[in-house]
Amino acid sequence: MTDFQRTKSLTARAVCRPSLVLPLLSLALLSACTKSVPAGSASNGQEQQTLEAGPGMGHGPGMGPGMGHGPGMGPGRGMGMMGGGHRQEMQTIHTLLARHESIRREVEDIPGGVRTLTVSESPEVAQLIREHVWQMKKRLELGQPMRRGDPLFRALFAHHDAIHLEVEEVPGGVRVEETSEDPQVVLLIRQHAHRAVNEFVEQGMPRAMQPTPLPEGYQGTP
C-alpha cells in the first residue's frame, strides 16, 4: 500500500472520531461529525431558554400562579422568568401568551385582596386558563416558586403561606378570590393582579419577558 493509500484509509476511519481527526484534518472535516440544526431552531431554543430563565438577575419562577390569580403568568429561572416550571406548565403558559388577545380579564379590589375573572370564548383557551390556575394554585400552596427573578413574584412566593386563594370554574374560564390578612401582602396581591397578569393578557410575550416592580408602600423584603 502506498503512503497516499494509507493516509486515505486512516482518514476514512477517523472521519467521525474527533480524537483522530483533529491532528490530521481541518475544522471543515470535523463538521461532518456534527448534526445539522434545522433552520429557526436556534432562535426558538433561545426563546425557550429565555422564558425559563426569565427577566431579572438570579434564579426565578416564571408565569407563576397565573392568568386569573396567584403569582401569574410570567418568566422564571436564572435571569428570571419561568424558573422551575414543568414542561407541561411551560407549554400552557406559552400558548396562553401567544393567544392573549383571545383572553378577557376583569379585576375588582375587595377587602384583603382582589376578585378576578379570566375567560375566553375559545374552548381550548378557556381550558388552558383553568389548567394554569389550578397548577399555579398548587405551586403557591406548596411554596414552589416561579419567576424568581421577578421582584414581585419573588415577594409573593416568599409570603405564600399568608395568601388565601379560592378558585371557581365558570363558563369560559375561572373566577378567583385572592386575599390576605397581612396589609403588606395585600399590596403584593393587587400589584400582581393589576400590573402583572393584566399586562400579560394585554401585551403577551413581550411583557412576560419583563420584571414587575414592587408596589408603592411595600416595605418587606423583595
Side-chain angles (χ1 to χ4, degrees):
M1 180 183 292
T2 66
D3 290 342
F4 173 78
Q5 290 173 323
R6 282 195 297 271
T7 299
K8 183 176 180 181
S9 176
L10 177 61
T11 300
R13 292 194 302 272
V15 79
C16 285
R17 297 177 60 187
S19 60
L20 294 178
V21 170
L22 289 175
L24 298 174
L25 306 176
S26 68
L27 291 178
L29 182 59
L30 183 59
S31 67
C33 298
T34 64
K35 293 183 178 180
S36 62
V37 179
S41 62
S43 59
N44 291 340
Q46 183 178 16
E47 181 182 87
Q48 174 70 19
Q49 183 179 13
T50 304
L51 265 183
E52 294 177 355
M57 299 291 298
H59 298 85
M63 280 195 120
M67 300 242 18
H69 83 293
M73 284 182 112
R77 172 168 95 181
M79 291 192 92
M81 255 184 96
M82 267 312 295
H86 297 299
R87 181 174 297 277
Q88 181 178 356
E89 293 173 350
M90 290 295 298
Q91 290 174 342
T92 299
I93 290 168
H94 270 268
T95 304
L96 288 171
L97 286 171
R99 301 185 64 175
H100 69 100
E101 292 181 350
S102 68
I103 299 171
R104 179 173 62 86
R105 182 171 159 82
E106 299 175 3
V107 178
E108 174 189 0
D109 288 350
I110 61 174
V114 295
R115 179 184 297 117
T116 66
L117 176 68
T118 309
V119 296
S120 175
E121 294 182 0
S122 164
E124 178 187 1
V125 174
Q127 183 58 30
L128 290 175
I129 290 171
R130 296 183 186 109
E131 289 178 6
H132 179 62
V133 169
W134 287 114
Q135 289 167 351
M136 296 308 117
K137 182 179 189 296
K138 182 178 180 180
R139 276 188 171 276
L140 190 65
E141 291 172 346
L142 296 177
Q144 297 177 342
M146 298 275 294
R147 197 178 172 87
R148 276 171 286 192
D150 186 312
L152 177 63
F153 285 75
R154 193 163 58 240
L156 275 169
F157 277 102
H159 296 285
H160 73 96
D161 54 354
I163 298 173
H164 179 63
L165 211 59
E166 292 185 4
V167 179
E168 176 189 2
E169 294 193 5
V170 299
V174 294
R175 179 181 289 111
V176 176
E177 287 192 7
E178 185 176 11
T179 57
S180 177
E181 296 180 0
D182 184 333
Q184 287 289 295
V185 178
V186 173
L187 293 176
L188 298 174
I189 289 171
R190 290 177 176 162
Q191 182 81 339
H192 168 262
H194 291 286
R195 286 295 311 275
V197 182
N198 272 9
E199 293 177 2
F200 298 151
V201 170
E202 292 170 0
Q203 303 171 36
M205 185 68 72
R207 171 59 182 87
M209 304 303 289
Q210 303 301 319
T212 310
L214 291 168
E216 289 188 30
Y218 179 69
Q219 300 174 351
T221 304

mmCIF file of all heavy atoms in Angstrom, residues 45-87:
data_model
loop_
_atom_site.group_PDB
_atom_site.id
_atom_site.type_symbol
_atom_site.label_atom_id
_atom_site.label_comp_id
_atom_site.label_asym_id
_atom_site.label_seq_id
_atom_site.Cartn_x
_atom_site.Cartn_y
_atom_site.Cartn_z
ATOM 1 N N GLY A 45 -35.026 27.918 20.365
ATOM 2 C CA GLY A 45 -34.408 27.434 21.590
ATOM 3 C C GLY A 45 -34.022 28.571 22.500
ATOM 4 O O GLY A 45 -34.145 28.488 23.722
ATOM 5 N N GLN A 46 -33.554 29.666 21.902
ATOM 6 C CA GLN A 46 -33.164 30.819 22.709
ATOM 7 C C GLN A 46 -34.377 31.409 23.409
ATOM 8 O O GLN A 46 -34.327 31.783 24.573
ATOM 9 C CB GLN A 46 -32.507 31.875 21.827
ATOM 10 C CG GLN A 46 -32.006 33.093 22.621
ATOM 11 C CD GLN A 46 -31.326 34.091 21.717
ATOM 12 O OE1 GLN A 46 -31.486 34.041 20.490
ATOM 13 N NE2 GLN A 46 -30.573 34.998 22.303
ATOM 14 N N GLU A 47 -35.511 31.461 22.694
ATOM 15 C CA GLU A 47 -36.737 31.994 23.295
ATOM 16 C C GLU A 47 -37.175 31.123 24.453
ATOM 17 O O GLU A 47 -37.552 31.616 25.505
ATOM 18 C CB GLU A 47 -37.847 32.072 22.257
ATOM 19 C CG GLU A 47 -39.150 32.642 22.819
ATOM 20 C CD GLU A 47 -40.234 32.662 21.776
ATOM 21 O OE1 GLU A 47 -40.923 31.629 21.635
ATOM 22 O OE2 GLU A 47 -40.401 33.693 21.121
ATOM 23 N N GLN A 48 -37.117 29.782 24.253
ATOM 24 C CA GLN A 48 -37.499 28.867 25.323
ATOM 25 C C GLN A 48 -36.600 29.045 26.529
ATOM 26 O O GLN A 48 -37.049 29.083 27.669
ATOM 27 C CB GLN A 48 -37.424 27.419 24.817
ATOM 28 C CG GLN A 48 -37.663 26.371 25.896
ATOM 29 C CD GLN A 48 -39.095 26.352 26.359
ATOM 30 O OE1 GLN A 48 -39.982 26.851 25.669
ATOM 31 N NE2 GLN A 48 -39.326 25.808 27.535
ATOM 32 N N GLN A 49 -35.256 29.184 26.258
ATOM 33 C CA GLN A 49 -34.318 29.347 27.351
ATOM 34 C C GLN A 49 -34.574 30.649 28.093
ATOM 35 O O GLN A 49 -34.512 30.710 29.316
ATOM 36 C CB GLN A 49 -32.887 29.328 26.807
ATOM 37 C CG GLN A 49 -31.831 29.418 27.920
ATOM 38 C CD GLN A 49 -30.441 29.371 27.346
ATOM 39 O OE1 GLN A 49 -30.246 29.507 26.143
ATOM 40 N NE2 GLN A 49 -29.457 29.182 28.202
ATOM 41 N N THR A 50 -34.913 31.709 27.342
ATOM 42 C CA THR A 50 -35.184 32.989 27.965
ATOM 43 C C THR A 50 -36.419 32.918 28.826
ATOM 44 O O THR A 50 -36.477 33.476 29.913
ATOM 45 C CB THR A 50 -35.380 34.077 26.891
ATOM 46 O OG1 THR A 50 -34.232 34.106 26.051
ATOM 47 C CG2 THR A 50 -35.567 35.440 27.543
ATOM 48 N N LEU A 51 -37.452 32.218 28.346
ATOM 49 C CA LEU A 51 -38.665 32.080 29.146
ATOM 50 C C LEU A 51 -38.350 31.369 30.442
ATOM 51 O O LEU A 51 -38.833 31.734 31.501
ATOM 52 C CB LEU A 51 -39.714 31.274 28.375
ATOM 53 C CG LEU A 51 -40.733 32.092 27.587
ATOM 54 C CD1 LEU A 51 -41.729 31.154 26.951
ATOM 55 C CD2 LEU A 51 -41.434 33.089 28.481
ATOM 56 N N GLU A 52 -37.539 30.306 30.360
ATOM 57 C CA GLU A 52 -37.248 29.548 31.554
ATOM 58 C C GLU A 52 -36.314 30.327 32.459
ATOM 59 O O GLU A 52 -36.311 30.155 33.665
ATOM 60 C CB GLU A 52 -36.645 28.191 31.190
ATOM 61 C CG GLU A 52 -37.653 27.308 30.458
ATOM 62 C CD GLU A 52 -37.059 26.000 30.040
ATOM 63 O OE1 GLU A 52 -35.842 25.826 30.234
ATOM 64 O OE2 GLU A 52 -37.783 25.150 29.522
ATOM 65 N N ALA A 53 -35.499 31.194 31.848
ATOM 66 C CA ALA A 53 -34.609 31.996 32.656
ATOM 67 C C ALA A 53 -35.300 33.266 33.087
ATOM 68 O O ALA A 53 -35.146 33.734 34.187
ATOM 69 C CB ALA A 53 -33.348 32.342 31.869
ATOM 70 N N GLY A 54 -36.051 33.833 32.195
ATOM 71 C CA GLY A 54 -36.857 34.988 32.510
ATOM 72 C C GLY A 54 -36.048 36.209 32.850
ATOM 73 O O GLY A 54 -34.844 36.186 32.932
ATOM 74 N N PRO A 55 -36.727 37.351 33.065
ATOM 75 C CA PRO A 55 -36.067 38.584 33.384
ATOM 76 C C PRO A 55 -35.583 38.599 34.808
ATOM 77 O O PRO A 55 -36.105 37.948 35.651
ATOM 78 C CB PRO A 55 -37.147 39.620 33.192
ATOM 79 C CG PRO A 55 -38.396 38.890 33.232
ATOM 80 C CD PRO A 55 -38.125 37.461 32.925
ATOM 81 N N GLY A 56 -34.584 39.393 35.065
ATOM 82 C CA GLY A 56 -34.110 39.565 36.419
ATOM 83 C C GLY A 56 -32.793 38.880 36.613
ATOM 84 O O GLY A 56 -32.366 38.101 35.793
ATOM 85 N N MET A 57 -32.134 39.153 37.685
ATOM 86 C CA MET A 57 -30.873 38.520 37.964
ATOM 87 C C MET A 57 -31.115 37.443 39.008
ATOM 88 O O MET A 57 -31.783 37.658 39.974
ATOM 89 C CB MET A 57 -29.883 39.544 38.503
ATOM 90 C CG MET A 57 -29.624 40.653 37.512
ATOM 91 S SD MET A 57 -28.714 40.088 36.087
ATOM 92 C CE MET A 57 -27.212 39.556 36.843
ATOM 93 N N GLY A 58 -30.557 36.287 38.847
ATOM 94 C CA GLY A 58 -30.723 35.254 39.844
ATOM 95 C C GLY A 58 -31.615 34.135 39.371
ATOM 96 O O GLY A 58 -31.860 33.999 38.203
ATOM 97 N N HIS A 59 -32.076 33.313 40.276
ATOM 98 C CA HIS A 59 -32.947 32.215 39.901
ATOM 99 C C HIS A 59 -34.373 32.698 39.894
ATOM 100 O O HIS A 59 -34.713 33.621 40.574
ATOM 101 C CB HIS A 59 -32.810 31.066 40.883
ATOM 102 C CG HIS A 59 -31.435 30.529 40.893
ATOM 103 N ND1 HIS A 59 -30.449 31.067 41.658
ATOM 104 C CD2 HIS A 59 -30.883 29.532 40.178
ATOM 105 C CE1 HIS A 59 -29.341 30.410 41.449
ATOM 106 N NE2 HIS A 59 -29.577 29.480 40.565
ATOM 107 N N GLY A 60 -35.268 32.003 39.210
ATOM 108 C CA GLY A 60 -36.589 32.512 39.307
ATOM 109 C C GLY A 60 -37.685 31.792 38.615
ATOM 110 O O GLY A 60 -37.542 31.109 37.660
ATOM 111 N N PRO A 61 -38.827 32.039 39.151
ATOM 112 C CA PRO A 61 -40.043 31.491 38.679
ATOM 113 C C PRO A 61 -40.552 32.208 37.487
ATOM 114 O O PRO A 61 -40.199 33.315 37.260
ATOM 115 C CB PRO A 61 -40.985 31.679 39.822
ATOM 116 C CG PRO A 61 -40.325 32.587 40.725
ATOM 117 C CD PRO A 61 -38.917 32.723 40.354
ATOM 118 N N GLY A 62 -41.437 31.566 36.828
ATOM 119 C CA GLY A 62 -41.958 32.009 35.587
ATOM 120 C C GLY A 62 -43.335 32.528 35.666
ATOM 121 O O GLY A 62 -43.615 33.518 36.284
ATOM 122 N N MET A 63 -44.222 31.936 34.971
ATOM 123 C CA MET A 63 -45.534 32.500 34.865
ATOM 124 C C MET A 63 -46.257 32.408 36.168
ATOM 125 O O MET A 63 -47.406 32.758 36.252
ATOM 126 C CB MET A 63 -46.281 31.766 33.816
ATOM 127 C CG MET A 63 -45.824 32.319 32.534
ATOM 128 S SD MET A 63 -46.838 31.910 31.222
ATOM 129 C CE MET A 63 -47.371 33.355 30.618
ATOM 130 N N GLY A 64 -45.700 31.911 37.094
ATOM 131 C CA GLY A 64 -46.233 31.859 38.410
ATOM 132 C C GLY A 64 -47.720 31.632 38.429
ATOM 133 O O GLY A 64 -48.343 31.510 37.411
ATOM 134 N N PRO A 65 -48.315 31.609 39.571
ATOM 135 C CA PRO A 65 -49.733 31.421 39.647
ATOM 136 C C PRO A 65 -50.377 32.482 38.826
ATOM 137 O O PRO A 65 -50.332 33.608 39.161
ATOM 138 C CB PRO A 65 -50.043 31.613 41.094
ATOM 139 C CG PRO A 65 -48.771 31.407 41.778
ATOM 140 C CD PRO A 65 -47.688 31.688 40.800
ATOM 141 N N GLY A 66 -51.090 32.202 37.938
ATOM 142 C CA GLY A 66 -51.299 32.802 36.721
ATOM 143 C C GLY A 66 -52.449 33.582 36.267
ATOM 144 O O GLY A 66 -52.833 34.568 36.810
ATOM 145 N N MET A 67 -52.954 33.239 35.113
ATOM 146 C CA MET A 67 -53.935 34.050 34.446
ATOM 147 C C MET A 67 -55.207 33.971 35.238
ATOM 148 O O MET A 67 -56.071 33.203 34.965
ATOM 149 C CB MET A 67 -54.173 33.536 33.057
ATOM 150 C CG MET A 67 -52.954 33.565 32.283
ATOM 151 S SD MET A 67 -52.834 34.472 30.935
ATOM 152 C CE MET A 67 -53.455 35.554 30.282
ATOM 153 N N GLY A 68 -55.349 34.723 36.206
ATOM 154 C CA GLY A 68 -56.580 34.678 36.947
ATOM 155 C C GLY A 68 -56.323 34.833 38.416
ATOM 156 O O GLY A 68 -57.201 35.198 39.150
ATOM 157 N N HIS A 69 -55.124 34.575 38.869
ATOM 158 C CA HIS A 69 -54.866 34.704 40.282
ATOM 159 C C HIS A 69 -53.418 34.461 40.531
ATOM 160 O O HIS A 69 -52.641 34.310 39.651
ATOM 161 C CB HIS A 69 -55.638 33.640 41.028
ATOM 162 C CG HIS A 69 -54.886 32.373 41.024
ATOM 163 N ND1 HIS A 69 -54.674 31.673 39.891
ATOM 164 C CD2 HIS A 69 -54.245 31.725 41.999
ATOM 165 C CE1 HIS A 69 -53.933 30.606 40.195
ATOM 166 N NE2 HIS A 69 -53.675 30.632 41.446
ATOM 167 N N GLY A 70 -53.106 34.354 41.769
ATOM 168 C CA GLY A 70 -51.816 33.929 42.236
ATOM 169 C C GLY A 70 -50.686 34.570 41.495
ATOM 170 O O GLY A 70 -50.870 35.371 40.624
ATOM 171 N N PRO A 71 -49.448 34.194 41.809
ATOM 172 C CA PRO A 71 -48.318 34.709 41.077
ATOM 173 C C PRO A 71 -48.439 34.280 39.647
ATOM 174 O O PRO A 71 -48.043 33.200 39.312
ATOM 175 C CB PRO A 71 -47.147 34.072 41.765
ATOM 176 C CG PRO A 71 -47.643 33.726 43.103
ATOM 177 C CD PRO A 71 -49.109 33.515 42.985
ATOM 178 N N GLY A 72 -48.930 35.069 38.816
ATOM 179 C CA GLY A 72 -49.400 34.706 37.491
ATOM 180 C C GLY A 72 -48.384 34.587 36.402
ATOM 181 O O GLY A 72 -47.212 34.477 36.617
ATOM 182 N N MET A 73 -48.836 34.635 35.169
ATOM 183 C CA MET A 73 -48.032 34.359 34.003
ATOM 184 C C MET A 73 -46.781 35.179 33.914
ATOM 185 O O MET A 73 -46.825 36.361 33.872
ATOM 186 C CB MET A 73 -48.843 34.689 32.800
ATOM 187 C CG MET A 73 -49.849 33.670 32.535
ATOM 188 S SD MET A 73 -50.662 34.158 31.099
ATOM 189 C CE MET A 73 -50.125 32.940 30.039
ATOM 190 N N GLY A 74 -45.701 34.580 33.713
ATOM 191 C CA GLY A 74 -44.522 35.368 33.502
ATOM 192 C C GLY A 74 -43.305 34.519 33.439
ATOM 193 O O GLY A 74 -43.396 33.340 33.424
ATOM 194 N N PRO A 75 -42.119 35.102 33.381
ATOM 195 C CA PRO A 75 -40.902 34.376 33.281
ATOM 196 C C PRO A 75 -40.338 33.863 34.587
ATOM 197 O O PRO A 75 -40.741 34.316 35.608
ATOM 198 C CB PRO A 75 -39.967 35.353 32.679
ATOM 199 C CG PRO A 75 -40.771 36.456 32.213
ATOM 200 C CD PRO A 75 -42.083 36.412 32.879
ATOM 201 N N GLY A 76 -39.234 32.997 34.581
ATOM 202 C CA GLY A 76 -38.807 32.247 35.731
ATOM 203 C C GLY A 76 -37.373 32.113 36.076
ATOM 204 O O GLY A 76 -36.793 32.991 36.609
ATOM 205 N N ARG A 77 -36.676 31.067 35.860
ATOM 206 C CA ARG A 77 -35.422 30.755 36.477
ATOM 207 C C ARG A 77 -34.248 31.468 35.853
ATOM 208 O O ARG A 77 -34.316 31.976 34.774
ATOM 209 C CB ARG A 77 -35.216 29.251 36.387
ATOM 210 C CG ARG A 77 -33.898 28.810 36.798
ATOM 211 C CD ARG A 77 -33.942 27.349 36.944
ATOM 212 N NE ARG A 77 -33.509 26.714 35.765
ATOM 213 C CZ ARG A 77 -33.471 25.429 35.636
ATOM 214 N NH1 ARG A 77 -33.893 24.682 36.596
ATOM 215 N NH2 ARG A 77 -33.048 24.876 34.546
ATOM 216 N N GLY A 78 -33.101 31.471 36.529
ATOM 217 C CA GLY A 78 -31.928 32.098 36.001
ATOM 218 C C GLY A 78 -32.133 33.574 36.013
ATOM 219 O O GLY A 78 -32.300 34.183 37.024
ATOM 220 N N MET A 79 -32.198 34.231 34.803
ATOM 221 C CA MET A 79 -32.432 35.647 34.831
ATOM 222 C C MET A 79 -33.884 35.920 35.059
ATOM 223 O O MET A 79 -34.317 37.024 34.938
ATOM 224 C CB MET A 79 -31.915 36.275 33.566
ATOM 225 C CG MET A 79 -30.441 36.200 33.566
ATOM 226 S SD MET A 79 -29.697 37.161 32.337
ATOM 227 C CE MET A 79 -29.425 38.644 33.207
ATOM 228 N N GLY A 80 -34.670 35.005 35.301
ATOM 229 C CA GLY A 80 -35.873 35.194 35.975
ATOM 230 C C GLY A 80 -37.215 34.771 35.504
ATOM 231 O O GLY A 80 -38.133 34.884 36.259
ATOM 232 N N MET A 81 -37.517 34.349 34.341
ATOM 233 C CA MET A 81 -38.924 34.134 34.036
ATOM 234 C C MET A 81 -39.539 32.904 34.641
ATOM 235 O O MET A 81 -40.305 32.963 35.558
ATOM 236 C CB MET A 81 -39.124 34.122 32.553
ATOM 237 C CG MET A 81 -39.758 35.403 32.171
ATOM 238 S SD MET A 81 -40.181 35.548 30.482
ATOM 239 C CE MET A 81 -41.784 35.108 30.402
ATOM 240 N N MET A 82 -39.351 31.773 34.047
ATOM 241 C CA MET A 82 -40.162 30.641 34.446
ATOM 242 C C MET A 82 -39.609 29.742 35.520
ATOM 243 O O MET A 82 -40.187 28.750 35.812
ATOM 244 C CB MET A 82 -40.414 29.770 33.243
ATOM 245 C CG MET A 82 -41.674 30.080 32.519
ATOM 246 S SD MET A 82 -43.122 30.259 33.477
ATOM 247 C CE MET A 82 -43.357 28.704 34.126
ATOM 248 N N GLY A 83 -38.541 29.993 36.016
ATOM 249 C CA GLY A 83 -37.804 29.106 36.874
ATOM 250 C C GLY A 83 -38.572 27.979 37.513
ATOM 251 O O GLY A 83 -39.526 28.179 38.223
ATOM 252 N N GLY A 84 -38.103 26.766 37.293
ATOM 253 C CA GLY A 84 -38.665 25.616 37.971
ATOM 254 C C GLY A 84 -39.947 25.085 37.379
ATOM 255 O O GLY A 84 -40.539 24.188 37.937
ATOM 256 N N GLY A 85 -40.376 25.615 36.268
ATOM 257 C CA GLY A 85 -41.625 25.158 35.683
ATOM 258 C C GLY A 85 -41.486 23.814 34.994
ATOM 259 O O GLY A 85 -40.475 23.541 34.366
ATOM 260 N N HIS A 86 -42.505 22.958 35.119
ATOM 261 C CA HIS A 86 -42.520 21.700 34.393
ATOM 262 C C HIS A 86 -42.839 21.973 32.932
ATOM 263 O O HIS A 86 -43.436 22.988 32.586
ATOM 264 C CB HIS A 86 -43.561 20.758 34.996
ATOM 265 C CG HIS A 86 -43.253 20.378 36.419
ATOM 266 N ND1 HIS A 86 -42.106 19.716 36.784
ATOM 267 C CD2 HIS A 86 -43.955 20.588 37.566
ATOM 268 C CE1 HIS A 86 -42.115 19.522 38.091
ATOM 269 N NE2 HIS A 86 -43.214 20.047 38.590
ATOM 270 N N ARG A 87 -42.472 21.040 32.079
ATOM 271 C CA ARG A 87 -42.675 21.230 30.644
ATOM 272 C C ARG A 87 -44.145 21.487 30.315
ATOM 273 O O ARG A 87 -44.459 22.359 29.518
ATOM 274 C CB ARG A 87 -42.170 20.001 29.876
ATOM 275 C CG ARG A 87 -42.319 20.124 28.365
ATOM 276 C CD ARG A 87 -41.674 18.946 27.678
ATOM 277 N NE ARG A 87 -40.245 18.927 27.931
ATOM 278 C CZ ARG A 87 -39.362 19.638 27.235
ATOM 279 N NH1 ARG A 87 -39.768 20.437 26.270
ATOM 280 N NH2 ARG A 87 -38.070 19.556 27.498
#
